[in-house]
Amino acid sequence: MISKDDLLLKLWEHYTSQNPSVKQVYDLFIAEGEEVVNDHIAFRTFDDPRVNIDVLSQPFLKAGYTEKGQYTFEAKKLFAKHFEHQGDPLAPRVFISQLKTGEFSPFLRETASRCVDAIPASLLGADELVYSGNVWGTPSFEIYETLRQESEYAGWLYVNGFQANHFTVSVNFLKKLDSIQKVNAFLKEKGFRINDSGGEIKGTPAELLEQSSIRSEMIHVRFIEGLKQIPGCYYEFARRYPDTDGRLYPGFIAKSADKIFESTDFVDGTKKG
Ligand code: NI
């Protein structure tokens, strides 16, 4: 069994090594004297019973997490669960979504099955699967492009596999940059691009959760057809508000997350700046 701290460290290392802009943002916060505490980490997977949410959540459950909420995203054809750590209130929530492959074309379904078939047996059911990245071999750019026409989520997952799709900074713990508005203004001034699908800020204080994110940077990925630039991961920011009992709202808002998912969409000018 891998401990919570080791698991989070492996995920952070994998995430920052592939997405240098995330480390730049992290370093900018630290340079401002801020303490960076993670609100949540998110993962993507297929609903194949060999790699679905129930499988990917295993290392977290063993490390002290329990299931807390379920979400459905009709338009994007996703189902998700969130998990919280029992005992460590500073541990990030874990949000895992899975693509409902049965609602897509035979091409997408078969591609998903073929990917899972190609996972080495030693990784199926292993704790390290969740930070192993692409475990089905060098992707095809043609397949990636075809998947994206049906689901940007599927295209991203096909190329990137199992890893944190994003970490999320808890704005509640920031001292100077203590609102989403301030965080967004700070990052824009530093040359980052905020995902403005559905507005730069998703959610409202009345909904008890506000979120924003920078758009994924373009990363170089080796495809069968050669090296290409495609969107990588993104960094998210969340501010939670207390409910009438004075307790910070712990869950997620489906309609906000729906727009946040689009941070990895392949759009013109995805590059920072
Ligand atoms: Ni998120």
Side-chain angles (χ1 to χ4, degrees), residues 40 42 166 168 211 236 252 260:
H40 66 272
H166 60 271
T168 305
Q211 290 165 276
E236 186 181 307
F252 293 86
I260 293 264

Side-chain angles (χ1 to χ4, degrees), residues 124-150:
L124 283 175
D127 287 348
E128 59 260 45
L129 181 66
V130 76
Y131 54 81
S132 292
N134 174 335
V135 284
W136 33 73
T138 307
S140 147
F141 192 69
E142 193 188 335
I143 292 177
Y144 167 70
E145 289 278 271
T146 309
L147 289 174
R148 276 186 46 227
Q149 290 166 17
E150 275 190 79

Side-chain angles (χ1 to χ4, degrees), residues 25 29 168-169 171 180 183 187 210-212 214 235-238:
V25 171
F29 281 133
T168 305
V169 175
V171 175
I180 292 273
V183 168
L187 293 173
E210 289 177 309
Q211 290 165 276
S212 72
I214 51 170
Y235 213 0
E236 186 181 307
F237 312 94

